[in-house]
Each structure stands twice: as structure tokens, then as C-alpha cells.
Amino acid sequence: MPATTMDQLVSLCKRRGFIFQSGDIYGGLQGVYDFGPLGVELKNNLKAAWWRSMVYERDDIEGLDSSILTLRTVLVYSGHEDTFTDPLVDCKKCKNRMRADQIVDGKCPQCGSTDLTEPRDFNLMFKTNVGPVASETSTAYLRPETAQGIFTQFKNVVDSTGRRAPFGIAQIGKSFRNEITPRNFIFRVREFEQMELEFFVPPKDDEKWHEFWKNERLKWWKEQGLKEENIKIVAVAPEDLAHYSKATYDLYYNFPIGYEELEGVANRRDYDLGNHTKGQKDLELQAHVHPNKDSTSKLALFDDETKKWYVPFVIEPSAGVERGVLAVLTEAYTEEELPNGETRIVLKLKKHLSPIKVAVIPLKRNQPEIVKMAHDIKASLLKTGIGRIALEDSGNVGKAYRRHDEVGTPFCVTVDFESIEQSPATVTVRDRDTMQQERVKVEDLPEYFKRAFL
């Protein structure tokens, strides 16, 4: 089968209600996308799978939901205000703006001109003001990552839960980066969600846990349907490491644009907790950017064996939700040639990720008994808790099958005349991947699908 193209995914996402350009009726806001009726379901299912694996299935991780608005002091001490930049270059001929690493052979990628400005640092953070008067002390930022909220709430989480290392704090939430050139659909955008874990370990154990989380994240992505042969793990070269990193593994996925980063697993050492501990003691800067702040919190853990305080190292698996959605769509998108010569488009998503779990289809939309049974079946399946159940009352079973193939619905249930004429009542259950059909008793459907979605 030919490789999936970005054009195929963009077309499917708009046609079937997965993803739309934000502000589309006004020409769109570059680098910002809205998730439609099916896209929000897929996105939520991916986040739920991550949360379940991180928080529910483990006994050493707590959850958090920190604020988007971020105190300037936090980002001063995290290093973001000074170092969270990209090199910006302008083309003097066509006025195109680009990152310096997008220039090949000294030429503008848009017009080919070599008349370019020298690179200059461009801070990627969105700045805002809190309160009615704009001043230096009212400056805040939209957070560029969810991690800093975890670090600044570290002491509160430890004090309220009694956690001891090794343990983690997990968070899913919005982040914002003023990308110079957002591109490739939802791969590089200005507003996005992150799934981040900060896992706190004794410094002597950091390398062991770094390896552990690299392997765990590869395993998890495979469970979401990504083939291992489409994932590469790359150790980031020392000269390319982020300012906080001791070592980083990047998980690259074979997107339609080629192998690009899907998730990073970084050893952030004690950079963040150490800096925030120092920052809380620097009252001169505190008074400058956030007056009346006199906290001297110690972001550290007590070692019961040595009877000493220490700042733990941090292992951080961090993945973008949008890139995750793009990856599972890329992997699931399939075009199949049918015996009649037609082409069937099907999203072979893992069942737990599918936006719609079961579609209930009345054979005749104007047949009251058939429609009522379809409604009753939907109501009974909703009680199973397996996810969204759709009533597809289009009156055309063939078209309904094709639509639900395209959106990844694992099963369709068709209510026909035989269903209302026979006792006990039966319906046709169709499998998305095999297209095979079987008759199942209506009374057995809840248990049938509970087993199917285990």
C-alpha cells in the first residue's frame, strides 16, 4: 500500500469532522486548529489512554492541572525568558520570515533570494498583562510548557500526598508557542496540548529511570497502534540538548512528512527544582517582578537514610497531543481495493481510540418499529460505558457502512425487518476491519461489546 500522504489526512479530517482550521470562515488563523465532532472524541480518547497508563495503572504517580497564565518569575528562573528562542531570519526580497534552520544553501526557501538578514533571537512565548494596568510588574506569560506548573507545585503535592522518590506528577494541558513558521497541518502549531510526566528520582538513579521511561513510552505508543518499524529512538547529541537537559531520547515517528519528533524523554537533572529553590530566595528580583513575595520554600526531599535533604533529578517524558493524533491517523489510514473495483477508505484505529465505538443503523428510517428498536439498543449500549454510541438514521445502510469505515467505527449494528419479526430479536453486527457480519441476539449485545472492548 502506498504511504499515506498529508493531503489524504487533511481531506479526511475536514470531510469527516475531525479537524478544521481555526477561524476558517475568515481565512483562518495560521498555526491554530479546532477539533471537530469526531476529532475531539479521538483526542480525548488518546488523552484518556495516556492518563490511565500514567495515573490509574501506576501507584507512584499523581495528577495535576496547573494554570495556563504563568507568573513571570517562574519563567525567569526556569530559563525560558532568556533562552526559549528560535533564530529568526527575514528575506529582504519577498519579506518571508523563517527560522534559520530552514535555509538551505543560503537561499530563501520561498523565492530563492540570498538577500537575507542576519539571524536574531525571537522569543517564542506569548506575553500578556494581568490586571487593568500594563506595567512590568503585571507581566505574565501563556505557559510554553506544562512542566513549570508541576515544578512550582512540587512541594504542595509532596506535602499533601506524602510521596517519596521515586514518584511522578502527570499533567495534560494547553501550551502556547509563537512559532515563526507553523507548518505541516497539526504537526507544528502555536496552540497545542501536552501530555507530560515529571518523574522525580534520587540523583544516583537518574540514568536507570531514563532508560526505563524510554522503553515504557515506546511500549505505550505501540499499544496505540503505531508499528515499531515506524518509530526510531534517537539520542540527542550533546550540542543539541536543551539548556536544562543532561540527556534526551527523542522518539521519531514516520509521519507523511518523514521521520519527525513524536515525544521526547529528557533527563532534566535537578535544573528546575534547583533553580526555583534559588529563585524563591532572591528577594531583589522577586520585588522587581512580583512584589510582596517572600516565600523560602525548599523544593527538595528528605532522605531517611542519610538524614539529609536533596534535590531530586527529573525524568520527563513529554508528548504533544496533536502530534499523537496525527501519528495514529497516519498509521490507521488505509485504502483497500474491493472485489467490485471500488476503493474503501478505512481508519483502522485501535478500538479504545475510535471516536465512535458502535453505530446503530435502522434499515428503514420511516419504519417506527425498527427505529424504536434502534433507539432502545443505543440506550442499552450507552449503559455499558464503552464510549460514544451513534444512531445512524440515514436510511442507506451501504453509505452508513462507508462513512463509519472512514471515521474508524469498529462495529455497526443494523436493525432490519427480521429484527422486529423474530423472537428472540436479532440484529446484524458488522466488523470494520474484516467487513464480516454475524447475527447476534439483541439481549446479548451489551455483553458482546463489553467483551469486544476489553
Side-chain angles (χ1 to χ4, degrees), residues 198-265:
E198 308 302 329
F199 198 76
F200 303 95
V201 303
K204 62 183 176 61
D205 295 333
D206 66 323
E207 294 181 4
K208 176 185 74 173
W209 282 106
H210 196 200
E211 292 295 318
F212 171 85
W213 280 110
K214 174 198 71 175
N215 295 329
E216 283 294 295
R217 298 311 300 144
L218 174 61
K219 176 184 173 185
W220 186 82
W221 282 113
K222 289 164 61 179
E223 291 170 353
Q224 310 319 304
L226 305 190
K227 295 185 180 68
E228 188 167 359
E229 59 263 32
N230 286 329
I231 302 175
K232 292 194 303 189
I233 299 178
V234 178
V236 177
E239 62 271 19
D240 295 328
L241 289 172
H243 63 279
Y244 52 74
S245 177
K246 173 184 173 181
T248 295
Y249 290 115
D250 282 341
L251 276 67
Y252 281 73
Y253 177 72
N254 190 15
F255 291 99
I257 54 176
Y259 278 96
E260 294 286 353
E261 183 185 342
L262 173 65
E263 176 165 1
V265 183

Side-chain angles (χ1 to χ4, degrees), residues 118-334:
E118 290 296 317
R120 60 196 186 279
D121 285 340
F122 172 76
N123 196 292
L124 300 175
M125 293 193 295
F126 284 95
K127 183 184 288 188
T128 187
N129 287 283
V130 177
V133 179
S135 67
E136 192 163 0
T137 58
S138 71
T139 296
Y141 292 98
L142 303 185
R143 66 183 180 197
E145 62 179 21
T146 63
Q148 297 307 317
I150 295 176
F151 297 133
T152 55
Q153 292 298 344
F154 171 81
K155 185 178 186 301
N156 284 330
V157 172
V158 171
D159 288 349
S160 61
T161 64
R163 287 290 185 180
R164 294 292 181 266
F167 82 98
I169 302 176
Q171 180 168 207
I172 300 174
K174 290 271 191 179
S175 294
F176 302 83
R177 297 180 184 178
N178 195 11
E179 294 283 353
I180 297 170
T181 51
R183 62 190 188 279
N184 293 322
F185 194 29
I186 58 172
F187 178 80
R188 188 179 296 279
V189 290
R190 292 186 166 116
E191 177 182 334
F192 57 97
E193 282 191 270
Q194 288 180 293
M195 304 181 290
E196 286 197 321
L197 169 69
E198 308 302 329
F199 198 76
F200 303 95
V201 303
K204 62 183 176 61
D205 295 333
D206 66 323
E207 294 181 4
K208 176 185 74 173
W209 282 106
H210 196 200
E211 292 295 318
F212 171 85
W213 280 110
K214 174 198 71 175
N215 295 329
E216 283 294 295
R217 298 311 300 144
L218 174 61
K219 176 184 173 185
W220 186 82
W221 282 113
K222 289 164 61 179
E223 291 170 353
Q224 310 319 304
L226 305 190
K227 295 185 180 68
E228 188 167 359
E229 59 263 32
N230 286 329
I231 302 175
K232 292 194 303 189
I233 299 178
V234 178
V236 177
E239 62 271 19
D240 295 328
L241 289 172
H243 63 279
Y244 52 74
S245 177
K246 173 184 173 181
T248 295
Y249 290 115
D250 282 341
L251 276 67
Y252 281 73
Y253 177 72
N254 190 15
F255 291 99
I257 54 176
Y259 278 96
E260 294 286 353
E261 183 185 342
L262 173 65
E263 176 165 1
V265 183
N267 180 343
R268 294 183 76 121
R269 49 196 175 91
D270 59 356
Y271 177 88
D272 300 276
L273 294 183
N275 274 15
H276 289 307
T277 297
K278 290 182 221 172
Q280 290 169 347
K281 295 175 182 178
D282 188 342
L283 300 186
E284 181 180 346
L285 180 60
Q286 288 290 342
H288 181 59
V289 299
H290 190 61
N292 304 319
K293 175 67 176 169
D294 58 359
S295 170
T296 56
S297 301
K298 182 182 293 185
L299 304 186
L301 296 173
F302 188 73
D303 190 321
D304 292 325
E305 291 184 7
T306 64
K307 307 301 180 185
K308 294 180 180 179
W309 289 90
Y310 72 95
V311 178
F313 273 33
V314 180
I315 308 303
E316 178 195 68
S318 176
V321 176
E322 287 77 7
R323 291 188 183 188
V325 168
L326 187 60
V328 298
L329 285 173
T330 301
E331 194 75 60
Y333 185 93
T334 308

Side-chain angles (χ1 to χ4, degrees), residues 4-39:
T4 302
T5 68
M6 192 68 83
D7 285 344
Q8 289 172 319
L9 294 182
V10 172
S11 174
L12 174 69
C13 285
K14 185 169 185 179
R15 183 173 71 252
R16 291 305 187 189
F18 282 91
I19 303 168
F20 308 123
Q21 178 82 45
S22 181
D24 191 38
I25 62 172
Y26 294 104
L29 179 59
Q30 188 183 19
V32 184
Y33 290 87
D34 299 334
F35 281 73
L38 297 182

Side-chain angles (χ1 to χ4, degrees), residues 331-346:
E331 194 75 60
Y333 185 93
T334 308
E335 292 188 1
E336 297 177 344
E337 294 296 324
L338 300 178
N340 62 4
E342 294 181 1
T343 299
R344 180 177 85 118
I345 297 175
V346 55

